[in-house]
Amino acid sequence: MADFEAKAFSGIDSEIVKSKIMAIIPARGGSKGVYRKNIRHIAGKPLISYTIDAALACPLIDQCIVSTEDEEIKRISLEAGVKVINRPLELATDTALSEDVVRHVLENCMAKGDLPKYFVLLQPTSPMRNEKHITDCIDFSMKVHSRCTVSVTEVEHHPYKTFYEENGILIPLKNRQSLSKPRQQLPSVVRQNGAIYFMETVAFLEQNSFFVDPVLPYYMDENSSIDIDSERDFLFCEMLMSRSSD
């Protein structure tokens, strides 16, 4: 099957920009690390349901769309009350890019004459990200007129204290001095946690990227930033959920 080819972006007719903020949830049936991860139950319900519920509970989101090729994910999503866009199989592989998946959703909306001015990409592998996180991120982004906001959390290990290997020899990523410096003397470093990407639709379509300068940070704590990618992640997340419900 031919690879997905995005249409060239040639501007947006203002008449089709109707909904203000759309949530896009990409959820394919397959997964590398954990079998059918997105519909596996955690603390009593499918993993994807946590993200759907959070999106529906956010008062700033006008509509929510799940992109999937999987019939069971489609059923769960429709029963929860969100729209579904059928994802082409070539966009449901291990190597498919999230940018192409989101672009497919937006082009589908454009064809129907209902394109959002902004969207939030919410990956279903972040079940600890809740409606308050989404609402706070959108509210912050709108107040400062951000075109691009990415959720982040502090790194567990500072990259200036790491090495890369070349010909069997360890070489400092930054320099030797940084390896022994106290962490407090090093620049503050965060990482994207994959939970929330807030984007102006035109900016995304123009650059085909979730990182459009200037990229603003939305900070989240470590536990809320859990990204489910392994059995260990499932167990740890379920433990946190059980504690919070006690």
Side-chain angles (χ1 to χ4, degrees), residues 175-195:
N175 52 45
R176 290 185 181 182
Q177 292 75 23
S178 296
L179 292 173
S180 56
K181 275 186 178 180
R183 187 183 179 97
Q184 294 78 6
Q185 294 181 17
L186 299 175
S188 176
V189 180
V190 296
R191 63 171 177 84
Q192 57 179 325
N193 63 8

Side-chain angles (χ1 to χ4, degrees), residues 126 128 152-153 191 193 195 220-227:
S126 300
M128 301 298 286
V152 298
T153 191
R191 63 171 177 84
N193 63 8
M220 292 174 60
D221 65 81
E222 184 179 359
N223 285 347
S224 298
S225 299
I226 293 173
D227 182 25

Side-chain angles (χ1 to χ4, degrees), residues 11-12 17 35 38 40 48 61 71-72 83-84 87-88 94 99 106 109 118-119 156 163 173 180 183 212 215 218 227:
I12 294 175
V17 180
Y35 179 69
N38 287 324
R40 175 165 164 176
I48 189 175
I61 290 176
E71 288 300 318
E72 192 168 359
K83 297 179 181 179
V84 173
R87 188 191 303 193
D94 289 341
E99 290 86 348
L106 295 175
C109 293
Y118 304 96
F119 69 86
E156 292 81 4
F163 301 83
L173 183 65
S180 56
R183 187 183 179 97
V212 174
V215 182
Y218 171 71
D227 182 25

Side-chain angles (χ1 to χ4, degrees), residues 18-31:
K18 294 181 179 178
S19 55
K20 194 171 186 182
I21 302 174
M22 173 188 292
I24 299 176
I25 303 173
R28 67 189 184 97
S31 59

Side-chain angles (χ1 to χ4, degrees), residues 149-214:
T149 305
V150 174
S151 61
V152 298
T153 191
E154 288 188 12
V155 295
E156 292 81 4
H157 304 285
H158 201 287
Y160 282 16
K161 292 185 174 292
T162 61
F163 301 83
Y164 66 92
E165 184 182 338
E166 190 173 276
N167 299 322
I169 297 173
L170 293 178
I171 300 174
L173 183 65
K174 178 66 175 175
N175 52 45
R176 290 185 181 182
Q177 292 75 23
S178 296
L179 292 173
S180 56
K181 275 186 178 180
R183 187 183 179 97
Q184 294 78 6
Q185 294 181 17
L186 299 175
S188 176
V189 180
V190 296
R191 63 171 177 84
Q192 57 179 325
N193 63 8
I196 308 172
Y197 296 84
F198 173 90
M199 292 288 306
E200 181 187 63
T201 299
V202 171
F204 172 81
L205 290 173
E206 286 176 343
Q207 300 194 30
N208 203 48
S209 172
F210 299 123
F211 305 96
V212 174
D213 292 331

